[in-house]
Each structure stands twice: as C-alpha cells, then as structure tokens.
Amino acid sequence: MIRRVRLAVATVVLAGLVVVPWVVDDYTAAILARTLALGLVGVSVALLTGVAGMPTLGQTAPYAAGAYASAVLGSQVSDVGVVQVAVAALAGATLAAVTLPLIVPARGVIVLMITLAIGELAVTVLGRWRSVTGGTDGLAGITPVRPLWGLPVLATDQARYLYTLAVVATLVGAVLLLLRTRVGPLLRAGRDDEMRLRASGHRVGLYLSGAHVAAGAIAGAAGSLLVVAQQYISPADFGFDTSALLLLGVVIGGTASIGGALVGAALVIAVRDWLFGVLPGHAPLVLGALFVATVYLLPTGVTRVRRPRGGSRPPIPAPRQPAATPTRDRGPTPELRV
Amino acid sequence: MNCLLSAEKISVRYGSLAALTDVDLCVHDGQRHAVIGPNGAGKTTLLNVLGATTRPQRGTVRFAGRDVSRLGPAARARRGINRTHQRPAVFATLTTIENIEVAALPRTIRRRRWWPGGTRGTARRLAAGLLDQLGLSDLATVPAGHLAHGQRRQVEIAMALAGRPRLLLLDEPAAGLSATEVDRLAELLAALPREVAVLLVEHHLDLVYALCDTVTVLRDGRTLAAGTPDEIRTSPLVRQAYADGMS
Ligand SMILES: Nc1ncnc2c1ncn2[C@@H]1O[C@H](COP(=O)(O)OP(=O)(O)OP(=O)(O)O)[C@@H](O)[C@H]1O
Ligand SMILES: [Mg+2]
C-alpha cells in the first residue's frame, strides 16, 4: 500500500520533471539541470551517511574528479555523453578507492573530519594544477556532447536538462533497485549495530568499502552531468560550502532516504541561490545556522550515524570502536523513502 | 580428549580487577555445556573471549583443531562460532525477519551466487522457519527496535541459529522471558541437531539441569567446579558460592 503511494508520487514527480523544460525559460532549465547533478551527489551522500552510517563531507572530491575527468579526458575519448559519464564514474570510484584506507577504519565524527580534509585537498589540487584544470579560472569551452551514438549534440539548455534528468533518473533507479537486494539490509544492519553484524560473520569492512566506492562512482557521474549542465567548471563548484550544503540537504531529506536526498539537495540549492540575492555575503552564515538547527532539531539528523551498541560494555581492546555519539532515540524513526 | 572448542589458561584483567584468571574450558562436539556462577563471576567475559570481542591478556582459544586466538569476531563466526549477547543485540531498523536473514547470509552467500539478490530467497526461507519455531511469525515485519526485550532476545537466538553454528554461545537466553517463552526456548534448544554444541550461560538453573550434560561453575574469575549436573547440584562448594554471591 505505502509502496504503491510512493511509486505514484515518484511517477508524478518524474512526469513533472519531464515536462518542466516546456514550461520554464532557458535560464531556469540550466539551473534545474545543475540542481539535478547536485541532487545526484546528494544521493551518494545519503547512501553513505544515511544508509551505511558513514557521515561524509568529502563527496565533492569524487564529484570534482568526475567533472574534470569528463571535461579533460572524456571529451577527448568521445563526445558521447554516456561514455563521459562512464569515464567520470570510473574517476570518482578510483578516487574513492584510493582513500579507502583512511576512511574505512574510522567511525563517526572522525570520518567527517577525514572526508572534509580530502574534499579540501581536492579543491587545492584543482586550483594549483593549472596546466590541466585551468586553475581557479576554471575550464570553459566545453565541447558539446551527444547523449548516445548517432543522436544530435545537445544544443539547448532544455536538451541538456533532459539529458541530465535521464541520467539521474537511471542512476537513482539503479541505486534504489540495488538497495532492495540484500545490499540494503546489510548496509543498514552495519549502521544499526556493527558488532552484531561482525558476530554473524560478515566482513563489514568490505561492505563499507563497496559502499564508498559505489558512492564515489555516483558522485563522479554527477560531475560529468555538471559539466554538461553548466558548460563550465571551476574549483569553486566543489568547495566546502558545497559539501556542507549537500550534507544539510541530505539531513533535511531524512538521511536514509534516497528520494529525500534529492529533494533536500534541491531545496538547499534553491535556498542558497535565493539567499545570495537577498542577503549578499551572508548566505554561508545563514546556511550554517540552518545546518546546526537541523542537526539538533530533526530526529533523523546526522546523530543517527554509526555508533556503538548502547549499554553493553565496550570490548577491550576496542580496535574499531566508533566514536561515542550521544544516544538520543534508540527506536527507529519513520523515514520517507521514495 | 579432543575438544571442539578449548580455551587454555584464559586471563582477562580490567585494571586491577581480574575478570578471569587461568580459566580452562573444553566443549566437545555436540555437547551441551553450561557455565554458571554468581553475578560478576566472569561468564560474559569468557563468552566475549571465545567470540573474540575481548582479547585476553593471556591464553589460547582453539576451535576445531585450529588456534583461533588471533581471529576476529567475524572470522570466528564464519568458522562456526555464533553467539547471543546478554543485552540482546538486534538491528533496530530492520524487520524481525530481515534481522534473521542478514544473520543467515554469510552461510548462504557461500554458494557462489554472486548476484546480490540471488541468495536472499534461501536466507528468507530459513528465517521464516526459525521465526515459526520460536512462535514469532506474527512479528516478522515489525522493526526489531519496536520489540519487547524478551522478543529481542529470542530474535537474537534465531539470528545465532541462522548462522548454522557448530558451537552456539548463549548468554542468559532465558533472562527476561515469560514462563511460556522459557518453555519454548527449552524445546527449541533440546531439538537442536546433535552436531551443534551449546555453551550456555544461564542463571535459570532448571533450564541448565534439564538441558546440559556438563556444568562449569565460575566464581571471581576462576573455575570453582566442573562436572555433571548431579555433581554440581549437590556440591557444597557451589551452594556456598551461590549463597555468597547472592547475598
Ligand atoms: N569492560 C569492562 N570494564 C571493566 N570491568 C569489566 C568490564 N567487563 C566486565 N567487567 C568486570 O568483570 C567482572 C566479570 O564481569 P562479567 O560480565 O563477565 O560477569 P558475569 O559473570 O557475566 O556477570 P552477570 O551474571 O552479572 O552477567 C565484573 O566484576 C565486571 O564488573
Ligand atoms: Mg554476564
């Protein structure tokens, strides 16, 4: 019953998104396309933060890797969008795989700090590596892509929007399907009680690694979409404010919810753009305050991250004990999942 | 004598407190072995050492002829040691049946079906069967976080069984259960296939005497006595220990 309602809502929303370009102007279509790309990064953040219980501020790193790989490498390989998305996903996954040894042994707030550092490092590298990335000036003059072999190149904002929508819908659908196999329960089980999962013989580190690499691939693919949607990229697209906004969006959307992550990311981007207009210079401050408020007020906030099983004595020695997070609500909280 | 599980000279200290001192234990294939003792005797600590969540300062653990002292909890579980916890541990946001399915997966995944959906059917059938045996079928789709304490305990027992253990470690499985639930638990444990060895930590002595063929008594981290239920029941030493422990 609930599943049917969800399916209906998702269908209506998707239909609405498909007709949008015939209703709005070019400028709005371009913004919407960019928002969809960010929403896809938000999905990767939700996968890690909400589903697997690894809060992250570093998904901008594979996002950036995907964007630059797509713009620099992908465009030389082929002008076919799907190929560029694949190249970008590979770049994002590779970057995620390289950072695995730092992230998988860590838990809780430490993960936030490490991923934040990785994200910042990525932006610094992008700014310095002028010969490839164009430095802080960014990369313009992106060659137009065609979605598939034999199709015309995407020449209008509307066309680019529809292409972005198609790729995002496909990837989000794939994530949702994957989470309905045993992958979903296994990741959520690890978030609920990691020690219990180990006690059943599961290789938890392997699952977390898989989730992290998959999330990297998704963020990388989103990077390729950003290149198409925006026709220009610079390190500013991947800064700390983007990571923070994404986490905020995911928290607002209900951390464990893939659909919620999309909605939340869109909402946050809209608020930011609107705030830039009415409160020039103060938008980061307001968003920061909003973030703190959300974390403390929403029951499904980032406090529901991977944590030790409350109450029982900690194993001694504790090799991979998660950082103790205040236990607020032991019971499951209803989540909106599309 | 070859033991399925043998622990030799296990010592665990927490600061100045000796939780276990030179404890030896041998569980044979298919044996029903109880560990009893007053509160704080070190029973849970011993199970934690066997399940690898506590690393002893001294001592070795062997299982099925191999030294498993250096293996972690997951690796030991895959070799066939499954356990429940004194404070029941379940996956709160997963439904009851999903909890058991997840616990069953390491065994069903082995069958080399790599597509992630492929093994779920087997695990689900196994889980449904276990829920039925425990009389919990009505709760199959309830999130485990919503269950009462006694129900969680039973779900965790089902989870341990779903791993198809060769050795089942149970930490006070009857605590917090109603009389009917204890009866059902006793039935379930009595009906376990003979290949499964059970190490049962329990204060509920009727259950211990009904089920087990060997009893080890711990007190203050040391083995006080070991023997058949009859020997233990009549041992003045054990009575004394319990009288002291409870006062
Ligand atoms: N992580 C820990 N840190 C410090 N002391 C501990 C820890 N775990 C256990 N202890 C102490 O070790 C001793 C043995 O504890 P244990 O939990 O093994 O006893 P038990 O026999 O299981 O008792 P109960 O019947 O109450 O469950 C107790 O004195 C306990 O306080
Ligand atoms: Mg105990």
Side-chain angles (χ1 to χ4, degrees):
Chain A
M1 186 59 207
I2 291 175
R3 179 168 293 166
R4 233 182 261 168
V5 172
R6 276 190 199 146
L7 202 64
V9 170
T11 314
V12 169
V13 169
L14 193 60
L17 287 172
V18 170
V19 296
V20 146
W22 285 277
V23 183
V24 300
D25 57 16
D26 287 3
Y27 177 71
T28 315
I31 289 187
L32 283 176
R34 210 186 73 200
T35 307
L36 277 175
L38 265 167
L40 188 57
V41 192
V43 166
S44 81
V45 174
L47 191 63
L48 290 177
T49 302
V51 180
M54 286 199 291
T56 174
L57 279 168
Q59 282 306 96
T60 43
Y63 182 39
Y68 281 91
S70 178
V72 177
L73 269 179
S75 58
Q76 292 187 2
V77 177
S78 158
D79 68 347
V80 174
V82 183
V83 173
Q84 295 191 7
V85 167
V87 168
L90 193 66
T94 308
L95 186 70
V98 169
T99 56
L100 276 180
L102 293 172
I103 289 166
V104 169
R107 293 292 177 272
V109 179
I110 308 287
V111 186
L112 276 180
M113 289 160 64
I114 294 172
T115 53
L116 169 64
I118 292 171
E120 289 299 281
L121 202 65
V123 173
T124 309
V125 169
L126 291 176
R128 296 274 167 86
W129 198 5
R130 299 192 63 93
S131 56
V132 174
T133 66
T136 46
D137 297 339
L139 279 179
I142 308 281
T143 31
V145 302
R146 56 186 84 246
L148 287 169
W149 295 266
L151 289 181
V153 295
L154 301 170
T156 66
D157 286 316
Q158 269 77 7
R160 287 192 280 266
Y161 165 84
L162 285 174
Y163 163 74
T164 311
L165 178 63
V167 176
V168 170
T170 308
L171 290 179
V172 170
V175 169
L176 288 176
L177 279 180
L178 192 67
L179 288 179
R180 290 185 55 172
T181 67
R182 70 178 185 232
V183 169
L186 280 177
L187 288 179
R188 289 188 288 130
R191 175 198 63 194
D192 285 354
D193 192 332
E194 185 176 338
M195 279 317 293
R196 175 66 254 188
L197 196 59
R198 284 185 203 279
S200 289
H202 287 282
R203 294 178 165 94
V204 178
L206 211 65
Y207 303 163
L208 291 181
S209 305
H212 198 254
V213 170
I218 295 167
S224 173
L225 297 181
L226 179 76
V227 173
V228 172
Q230 204 169 253
Q231 300 282 288
Y232 163 80
I233 46 170
S234 82
D237 290 318
F238 312 103
F240 171 68
D241 55 332
T242 308
S243 314
L245 280 177
L246 284 169
L247 192 55
L248 175 61
V250 167
V251 169
I252 288 178
T255 43
S257 153
I258 298 301
L262 272 169
V263 175
L267 207 71
V268 166
I269 300 301
V271 170
R272 178 190 64 178
D273 292 349
W274 172 72
L275 276 177
F276 267 125
V278 293
L279 280 174
H282 296 294
L285 188 70
V286 176
L287 281 168
L290 196 60
F291 181 65
V292 172
T294 315
V295 169
Y296 279 91
L297 295 180
L298 284 189
T300 51
V302 281
T303 48
R304 275 174 47 105
V305 295
R306 186 176 288 274
R307 63 171 167 235
R309 197 169 72 247
S312 69
R313 301 183 192 105
I316 306 263
R320 285 185 176 186
Q321 267 304 292
T325 326
T327 305
R328 187 166 312 173
D329 166 24
R330 290 291 305 175
T333 329
E335 292 151 355
L336 164 107
R337 233 177 279 140
V338 176
Chain B
M1 288 235 294
N2 46 353
C3 314
L4 171 66
L5 172 101
S6 73
E8 289 146 32
K9 297 230 170 305
I10 301 291
S11 296
V12 174
R13 299 189 67 88
Y14 293 115
S16 61
L17 178 95
L20 290 177
T21 312
D22 289 338
V23 171
D24 294 323
L25 185 78
C26 166
V27 181
H28 295 284
D29 244 318
Q31 197 178 23
R32 306 290 189 260
H33 192 131
V35 175
I36 63 171
N39 291 111
K43 307 180 294 294
T44 298
T45 306
L46 181 60
L47 285 200
N48 287 345
V49 168
L50 302 180
T53 51
T54 295
R55 204 162 283 262
Q57 274 80 5
R58 222 144 47 85
T60 27
V61 179
R62 288 172 195 286
F63 184 70
R66 286 248 178 91
D67 186 345
V68 295
S69 305
R70 311 192 73 87
L71 297 184
R76 288 198 203 176
R78 286 195 299 274
R79 301 215 165 187
I81 304 181
N82 273 265
R83 71 172 297 184
T84 68
H85 298 79
Q86 182 165 358
R87 185 197 153 96
V90 293
F91 307 118
T93 64
L94 267 53
T95 63
T96 301
I97 195 157
E98 280 175 331
N99 266 271
I100 305 172
E101 263 178 69
V102 161
L105 279 173
R107 282 305 171 107
T108 48
I109 286 173
R110 280 207 190 148
R111 300 192 187 159
R112 290 179 177 274
R113 288 194 215 149
W114 292 107
W115 168 244
T119 48
R120 234 180 133 179
T122 329
R124 174 146 294 223
R125 275 192 299 279
L126 184 66
L130 281 164
L131 277 181
D132 190 41
Q133 269 181 288
L134 283 160
L136 296 176
S137 296
D138 292 348
L139 299 173
T141 57
V142 176
H146 288 175
L147 297 179
H149 191 74
Q151 293 169 333
R152 284 188 205 199
R153 200 175 274 297
Q154 297 179 78
V155 170
E156 207 194 3
I157 293 167
M159 288 165 75
L161 288 172
R164 309 210 181 187
R166 279 186 78 186
L167 172 65
L168 182 62
L169 310 175
L170 299 172
D171 200 348
E172 303 197 18
L177 262 55
S178 71
T180 3
E181 288 169 338
V182 172
D183 288 347
R184 193 142 38 195
L185 176 66
E187 251 172 59
L188 178 85
L189 295 181
L192 282 180
R194 214 50 225 191
E195 310 86 81
V196 183
V198 179
L199 186 64
L200 173 71
V201 169
E202 188 51 73
H203 284 300
H204 207 287
L205 292 183
D206 291 342
L207 187 65
V208 167
Y209 294 142
L211 220 66
C212 297
D213 39 47
T214 313
V215 181
T216 296
V217 187
L218 285 185
R219 190 194 172 186
D220 295 335
R222 291 177 185 273
T223 312
L224 186 73
T228 63
D230 282 339
E231 287 163 6
I232 296 300
R233 208 186 329 228
T234 50
S235 157
L237 213 58
V238 174
R239 290 185 175 198
Q240 186 58 40
Y242 261 84
D244 293 352
M246 297 301 169
S247 60

